[in-house]
Amino acid sequence: MSSSSVVHPEVSIILPCRNEEDALGKCIRDIQNIVSNESMSAEIIVSDSSTDRSPEIAKNAGVHLIKHDKDGYGNAYLEGFAFAQGEYIFCADADGTYDFKEIPRFINELKSGADLVIGNRFEGTIEKNAMPWAHQFIGNPLLSYILRLFFGSSVQDAHCGMRAIKKDVLPQLSLQTTGMEFASEMIIKAIKKQITIKELPVNYNKRIGVSKLRTLTDGWRHMRFMLLYS
């Protein structure tokens, strides 16, 4: 089914986007192919704060464009969640790092009883140079370990950008953070609310275009949030 013609979609697919003109078109086409091949009732939402051609690409592709121009990963998702009509929400970055063929598997896990499904890149295949060495072997494992230690979680990859969640669970989480720490906030609040979390192995590819990640700043935002919330 076309992502723009579904009146009451079962699934909302949200792509946070900030200057991803090199990858966005391919990501949308890949998702549209999956939606069509799987006969999914789905809408595609691009939550955008770009200054490049990304909004034009989204419009030409016939998907829903939310042009909010707010800085921050969390803001992109908060704006997308407010617009989403689907019973299930799937989230992934618009930079070519994730394989959208995983969408049906994530949604099926929600239908099978999970409330929040998170990808685990460390159980999948990480393409060479897809993740900086310091992130792959120090930053991500360390922050995920601290989250497990502080909050009694079993989540191995707390910062994976591929996730799915039941829409009716979102109000329970009261998500508020606007930056990269949004990824930690979602998991921590899900743990505290005793919401069922499931991890699935996913592959991780080298991104298309320039990374927006600020290693020290974003790492500290995650750490500060965990310290405050613990």
Side-chain angles (χ1 to χ4, degrees):
M1 295 185 187
S2 165
S3 61
S4 55
S5 63
V6 180
V7 179
H8 300 294
E10 183 182 36
V11 180
S12 296
I13 299 163
I14 302 176
L15 301 176
C17 182
R18 186 174 181 84
N19 299 333
E20 298 291 0
E21 64 181 6
D22 294 333
L24 181 62
K26 181 184 184 305
C27 290
I28 292 172
R29 287 191 299 274
D30 287 349
I31 295 168
Q32 288 172 331
N33 286 335
I34 296 297
V35 168
S36 175
N37 292 341
E38 298 287 332
S39 299
M40 294 173 67
S41 168
E43 63 178 353
I44 302 171
I45 300 165
V46 173
S47 184
D48 188 79
S49 60
S50 300
T51 55
D52 66 359
R53 288 183 54 253
S54 296
E56 180 187 337
I57 291 166
K59 283 180 184 174
N60 290 341
V63 303
H64 297 297
L65 172 68
I66 304 171
K67 187 76 175 126
H68 53 82
D69 288 333
K70 295 179 182 177
D71 192 18
Y73 181 78
N75 271 327
Y77 275 121
L78 292 171
E79 293 291 330
F81 290 161
F83 183 89
Q85 300 297 308
E87 181 182 352
Y88 306 107
I89 296 175
F90 177 88
C91 310
D93 301 333
D95 57 8
T97 48
Y98 293 105
D99 185 349
F100 293 103
K101 290 190 181 77
E102 299 288 355
I103 294 173
R105 191 160 66 112
F106 274 62
I107 301 305
N108 285 337
E109 287 292 342
L110 294 180
K111 291 180 178 180
S112 297
D115 296 310
L116 170 63
V117 185
I118 305 168
N120 182 348
R121 295 167 293 180
F122 301 108
E123 286 291 316
T125 301
I126 299 176
E127 187 181 1
K128 187 178 180 183
N129 299 325
M131 195 184 294
W133 187 91
H135 293 188
Q136 185 171 347
F137 297 104
I138 302 172
N140 279 323
L142 180 62
L143 288 169
S144 295
Y145 169 75
I146 292 169
L147 189 144
R148 291 194 300 274
L149 187 69
F150 283 7
F151 301 100
S153 158
S154 61
V155 174
Q156 299 294 313
D157 186 7
H159 305 119
C160 183
M162 182 178 273
R163 301 176 176 206
I165 190 168
K166 290 176 177 171
K167 190 183 181 187
D168 62 8
V169 166
L170 284 173
Q172 299 177 52
L173 302 184
S174 301
L175 299 169
Q176 296 172 342
T177 54
T178 59
M180 291 300 293
E181 70 274 27
F182 183 85
S184 296
E185 181 191 15
M186 181 183 281
I187 296 173
I188 290 166
K189 288 186 172 177
I191 294 163
K192 286 189 170 286
K193 291 289 183 180
Q194 297 185 315
I195 284 165
T196 307
I197 302 173
K198 171 85 174 181
E199 269 193 299
L200 294 178
V202 298
N203 297 334
Y204 191 66
N205 306 311
K206 196 172 179 182
R207 78 157 5 259
I208 301 167
V210 181
S211 175
K212 318 297 184 303
L213 200 64
R214 299 164 297 183
T215 301
L216 294 177
T217 307
D218 291 332
W220 168 241
R221 289 181 77 133
H222 283 290
M223 189 68 206
R224 182 181 61 185
F225 183 82
M226 287 191 286
L227 288 169
L228 288 171
Y229 220 81
S230 67

